[in-house]
Amino acid sequence: MKLLRKTNRYFLISIFGILIFSWFLLFLGIRYIIRQETVEKLKVDEYRLVELMKKDVPLESFRPLFEIVLSENSKVRPDEINKVSLYDPVERENEDYLELSSVREINGRLYALKVRHSLIETDELILLLTFTFIGVMLISLLLLFIINRKVSRHIWAPFYSSLKRINTFSLEKGTSFRAPETDIDEFQQMNHSLKELTTKLVNDYHVLKEFTENASHEIQTPLAVILMKLEEIIQSELDPDTNKKIYVCYQSALRLSRLNEKLLLLTKLDNEQFAFKNAIDLTEILTVQLEEIKPLLEDRSIDLEVHLTQKFPLKIDPGLGIILIVNLLSNAVKYNVDGGKIIIELKMNQLTISNITAEKPEIQTIFDRFKKSAQHPESMGLGLSIAKKISEQAGLHISAEISHDLFSVVLENTKQE
Amino acid sequence: MKILVIEDELELLAGMVHFLKNSGATAIGAGSLFEAEDKLIMHQFDLVVLDLSLPDGSGLSFIQTIKNLQSDAAILIVSAKNALDDRLSGLDLGADDYLTKPFHLAELLSRINAILRRKKGTIDQRLVFNELVIHLDEHQVYVYDQLIELTRKEYELLFFFITNKNRVLTKESIAQHLWGEGIELADNFDFIYTRIKNLRKKITDQQGKDYLKTVYGMGYKFTDL
């Protein structure tokens, strides 16, 4: 839910509550005042009535407005004010009256007096007041709502602007957050914090990136020394047993160095450190690399079927393009069978590299890091993850499938040039 | 062949200088750019092997200094940095080739020879090893003046061996030379074995001597000793 909507909702609910409450107060207040006024009026009426009677003006009851009853047996008692309901023959229904009943001694005789005043006017008045009140309130509520909305929009504008900038903030671009101008203290504070946070983030990111790279390079140097010394030892004639041990060390050091190189490449890909600007034709790389592996294929009598009728333009770093193709071709050879087949097909911006294989790889996890084939324990299991990472960054969709003994990797250009 | 090796890792520096001297070159080492500049002023070099990350500056910017002091000297960059970072910028600035650390010494020599040959131009170049004569321009090999037909990989292999004669070349270093760093194939070694078998046969078929010695389990050595 949007902030403005939420605040508006609370605003409306509370205003509504306040309205009901104030209407209730108003209702009680008006009723009380009217009642007081009515009682005053009844007293005045009764006083005039008594005055008239004292002057011996002949008076009869005038129902329902007043009743005069001679009642010698009554005693003088305090006045009573009651609300009564009487039948009105004209309206043919019961109507509410406020009644002042009293006992007075006039010219030596006791009279029971009842003076009444209709409450209909009062009810109508309250009804009218209520409607007016509700009408005025609704109009002011609507106005308030509109004004509040406009003002809020204006006030929150810098916040939304900051939000937008934070959304488009990118670590890779290395630009820190630029705060929009605002004169609201809270937003200034927020922008200040955001700026500090993003600056720190960018710095940390660079430090980490550099650290990984430097660490990787620093590891290569001692490895280079180890390998050089081992190669020197290999040159001297040692007994076969020692030779074998030295050779194992040599192989392991080489392996470590290759692993380090691949991890560095993966880190760089993760950090999106490569530029993917210039379009190159992937089929050109493919043709060159196929020429390279041809002798290998001949040795193992692997058939090569190539269907390249169009170009495969791709925005990619040329070095990465070569790594991508070499990784895929290497796999197609490595996991092939003697006398097998490699099929390379390009159609509709979809490049498929397939090979016959005797293995049953798990397609779901095949692009995961360090997924090794049981038949090839010497493999590091990074080739396909590197291929995937490169593909992703070049805007290619990479997928693998296996049907019977034919394993395929499909590169699909989703960004149509 | 005079070579200046600039490398701050002293063990590597000593190793390279020692190796290059053994291979018949005059090699001098420098552990810093300051020292290197000194040596460049004092001596004339055919080639400079340059490390990129040195304590007193970047090797990349030192390329210009080398060019200013000795415009004829070839430059081979040797760096722990991945080829993807620096290769292009290094070559743009005038380096002749690039080798990533760690490297095989045999590969170093092979690259140095290739650069120097390119520098010398295309005047009839041959490499002679007893009855074997390699015509570098045509990529042809003669045994007792008899041309033998070699595939491209066989030629590269023989050339690599002769460049690094009397040295045990591990299967790994041979594979790397033939394929570069990218391709790692399990059957690489079988492939090398087959090439070497073919190469041997093609040479001995012309009454050439078999100079290729198998060093059990590890690799091969090309030697007439």
Side-chain angles (χ1 to χ4, degrees), chain B residues 137-155:
Chain B
D137 301 327
E138 295 99 14
H139 288 209
Q140 281 172 341
V141 178
Y142 292 85
V143 182
Y144 292 121
D145 296 329
Q146 195 69 42
L147 179 70
I148 54 169
E149 290 290 335
L150 297 182
T151 63
R152 192 161 67 90
K153 293 286 176 201
E154 283 163 4
Y155 172 82

Side-chain angles (χ1 to χ4, degrees), chain A residues 170-212:
Chain A
S170 149
L171 263 183
E172 284 75 38
K173 285 178 200 146
T175 49
S176 68
F177 172 75
R178 277 199 314 111
E181 289 293 315
T182 172
D183 53 359
I184 299 170
D185 286 353
E186 285 84 349
F187 290 162
Q188 276 177 358
Q189 274 174 30
M190 179 185 77
N191 285 340
H192 181 71
S193 305
L194 278 176
K195 205 179 159 90
E196 276 195 348
L197 195 70
T198 50
T199 310
K200 187 168 160 28
L201 214 61
V202 168
N203 285 344
D204 286 358
Y205 175 73
H206 282 298
V207 168
L208 187 70
K209 215 160 72 171
E210 259 178 38
F211 173 78
T212 320

Side-chain angles (χ1 to χ4, degrees), chain B residues 25-167:
Chain B
T26 310
I28 296 175
S32 65
L33 292 180
F34 177 76
E35 202 183 331
E37 204 169 341
D38 216 36
K39 301 249 156 85
L40 279 166
I41 292 165
M42 311 239 305
H43 309 273
Q44 192 69 35
F45 294 100
D46 297 307
L47 184 133
V48 178
V49 176
L50 177 65
D51 181 19
L52 285 189
S53 40
L54 289 146
D56 54 345
S58 150
L60 276 181
S61 47
F62 194 67
I63 292 177
Q64 201 46 54
T65 316
I66 301 174
K67 294 266 157 199
N68 290 343
L69 288 169
Q70 295 190 21
S71 54
D72 289 343
I75 298 169
L76 171 63
I77 291 176
V78 163
S79 169
K81 287 209 174 151
N82 196 286
L84 284 162
D85 308 307
D86 291 320
R87 186 189 285 265
L88 285 173
S89 52
L91 296 183
D92 280 350
L93 281 167
D96 296 88
D97 205 353
Y98 192 108
L99 197 56
T100 310
K101 273 187 209 167
F103 51 85
H104 304 282
L105 285 170
E107 189 61 32
L108 176 71
L109 184 61
S110 176
R111 297 281 183 102
I112 289 174
N113 279 337
I115 295 173
L116 291 178
R117 251 192 336 271
R118 252 182 296 156
K119 282 260 164 182
K120 273 186 204 156
T122 51
I123 327 146
D124 177 43
Q125 288 183 54
R126 318 163 157 218
L127 193 63
V128 183
F129 186 86
N130 298 345
E131 68 272 27
L132 295 174
V133 179
I134 299 182
H135 290 236
L136 300 171
D137 301 327
E138 295 99 14
H139 288 209
Q140 281 172 341
V141 178
Y142 292 85
V143 182
Y144 292 121
D145 296 329
Q146 195 69 42
L147 179 70
I148 54 169
E149 290 290 335
L150 297 182
T151 63
R152 192 161 67 90
K153 293 286 176 201
E154 283 163 4
Y155 172 82
E156 282 174 17
L157 194 60
L158 179 65
F159 190 51
F160 189 52
F161 273 122
I162 295 184
T163 310
N164 291 287
K165 55 182 181 265
N166 301 326
R167 193 174 165 79

Side-chain angles (χ1 to χ4, degrees), chain A residues 80-96:
Chain A
E80 274 175 22
I81 290 177
N82 292 312
K83 197 175 160 188
V84 292
S85 205
L86 294 175
Y87 184 75
D88 184 340
V90 185
E91 299 275 337
R92 294 187 182 182
E93 59 183 18
N94 283 334
E95 278 189 2
D96 288 343

